[in-house]
Amino acid sequence: MHILVIGGAGMVGRKFIERLAHDGQLGGKAVDKVTVQDVVAASAPAATPFTFDAVVSDLSIEGEAEALIAGKPDLIVHLAAIVSGEAEADFDKGYRINLDGTRHLFDAIRKVGGGYRPRLVFTSSIAVFGAPFHDKIEDEFFTTPLTSYGTQKAIGELLLADYTRRGFFEGVGIRLPTICVRPGKPNKAASGFFSNIIREPLNGEEAVLPVSDQVRHWHASPRSAVGFLIHAATMDTNAIGPRRNLTMPGYSATVAEQIEALRKVAGENVVKRIKRVPDPVIDGIVAGWPRNFNPQRSTALGFKAESSFEEIIRVHIDDELGGNFVK
């Protein structure tokens, strides 16, 4: 089995590839090659049981997608994106990467022909939804994004459904919750503070909270994100039907509830490292985001996530901190 991971040098891609290296197979099929594309070179996991090929390229440039698809990978996982805050700040870059790059990839697959029809997992976002919201957003809720990033992802979802309908590939779109707690350094996502206010205090560092304690959002851990990818890559897609894009399960929590969960898991000294510095730009972006979901379709199809924010924090401590944190 040959797997191509687009945007695979990022956190979710790295963890997905590490899982492949650990398991050595996917859906009962041996993985013999993994090609990882990104704008920076991806590193191979230790003791990799398959051929690992790191490709540095820009998917939005004409011809790059065709070069990646030339090897006819069996599974394509499309993770590449300019994140929400950067897509809002740089209009042209957001559309070039998030829309043009996606369209180039889809068309490159289409042009191969000869019966080539790979499984393609496209990571979308809950940013495809825009206010006003229901208390819990149902699977039938319409996509009316209020950010450029959400608009780009919504267009990608429509393309995925149409190219799948036309038989060019077997697409599964997964709308990721905000992935929390993200390891490493903060990125340019407007949602980054959701991870920052947990990660930095557990490392003994100060974290900045730019929004109100009453902001509510939808979360899942990096461990769950990898689980979503694996399930989307191996599930029987006949049960999905023509509506190829699914809202992933997650856990809804306010910032106050996040902080209280941190207090229960790690104690008051850790919580005291959170510093409140209001940022009206981030606050304005977050105000247009969905807060809670009722993802019955994805749950019925076997996707799973955490059932509490305390569980999300404990996953981070176990997976990233070796079970320890700075008290």
Side-chain angles (χ1 to χ4, degrees):
M1 188 180 194
H2 178 194
I3 300 173
L4 169 63
V5 185
I6 305 290
M11 183 272 293
V12 173
R14 176 175 55 82
K15 286 184 171 292
F16 174 64
I17 295 161
E18 287 173 353
R19 175 69 180 273
L20 293 177
H22 177 271
D23 295 349
Q25 58 83 34
L26 185 64
K29 297 179 180 180
V31 177
D32 53 26
K33 183 177 181 179
V34 174
T35 301
V36 185
Q37 179 276 344
D38 213 317
V39 294
V40 296
S43 299
T48 305
F50 42 70
T51 301
F52 182 91
D53 185 17
V55 177
V56 178
S57 67
D58 183 339
L59 190 66
S60 68
I61 296 175
E62 292 283 351
E64 295 294 341
E66 284 80 359
L68 291 167
I69 299 302
K72 294 185 179 179
D74 305 288
L75 168 66
I76 301 160
V77 178
H78 182 18
L79 298 167
I82 295 299
V83 292
S84 52
E86 190 173 3
E88 200 67 18
D90 192 332
F91 183 87
D92 291 328
K93 186 177 183 181
Y95 272 90
R96 180 173 61 82
I97 301 298
N98 295 341
L99 177 56
D100 296 345
T102 297
R103 178 70 186 276
H104 290 332
L105 175 65
F106 290 2
D107 271 344
I109 298 169
R110 175 176 66 87
K111 292 173 183 176
V112 172
Y116 177 58
R117 189 170 183 262
R119 175 74 60 94
L120 189 147
V121 179
F122 171 64
T123 50
S124 186
S125 168
I126 57 174
V128 299
F129 301 107
F133 300 117
H134 297 170
D135 289 341
K136 288 187 176 182
I137 295 176
E138 311 87 355
D139 291 317
E140 293 76 20
F141 196 83
F142 38 76
T143 55
T144 52
L146 295 178
T147 63
S148 294
Y149 175 73
T151 301
Q152 293 147 13
K153 287 296 187 181
I155 296 170
E157 288 190 2
L158 290 171
L159 293 173
L160 179 91
D162 193 42
Y163 279 54
T164 298
R165 180 184 66 84
R166 297 296 298 268
F168 303 135
F169 51 67
E170 187 180 7
V172 182
I174 57 174
R175 298 180 186 124
L176 294 179
T178 286
I179 302 304
C180 185
V181 179
R182 298 181 68 93
K185 297 297 183 182
N187 63 16
K188 295 183 180 180
S191 60
F193 68 87
F194 289 117
S195 288
N196 300 351
I197 63 171
I198 306 298
R199 181 184 59 235
E200 269 65 42
L202 289 171
N203 287 331
E205 302 169 6
E206 188 177 83
V208 171
L209 173 60
V211 301
S212 162
D213 282 27
Q214 299 311 306
V215 167
R216 177 178 290 278
H217 201 51
W218 187 245
H219 304 277
S221 73
R223 185 190 294 178
S224 287
V226 172
F228 298 156
L229 294 176
I230 290 173
H231 191 58
T234 58
M235 66 185 295
D236 179 1
T237 57
N238 289 327
I240 300 179
R243 296 164 59 200
R244 306 300 293 193
N245 298 283
L246 301 163
T247 300
M248 293 294 97
Y251 184 77
S252 178
T254 64
V255 169
E257 289 167 343
Q258 280 188 265
I259 294 172
E260 183 57 29
L262 181 63
R263 181 178 285 110
K264 289 180 179 179
V265 171
E268 184 64 30
N269 285 342
V270 174
V271 170
K272 287 180 179 177
R273 296 172 187 143
I274 300 172
K275 180 180 180 181
R276 287 166 171 78
V277 182
D279 185 325
V281 174
I282 294 179
D283 197 53
I285 293 174
V286 173
W289 286 353
R291 301 169 179 85
N292 199 1
F293 290 85
N294 184 21
Q296 292 184 337
R297 288 187 68 216
S298 63
T299 301
L301 288 166
F303 291 92
K304 299 177 181 179
E306 288 77 18
S307 58
S308 73
F309 204 85
E310 288 180 47
E311 186 180 355
I312 289 174
I313 294 173
R314 294 187 190 281
V315 166
H316 176 72
I317 293 172
D318 290 344
D319 289 358
E320 306 299 334
L321 305 179
N324 300 304
F325 58 88
V326 180
K327 297 182 180 180

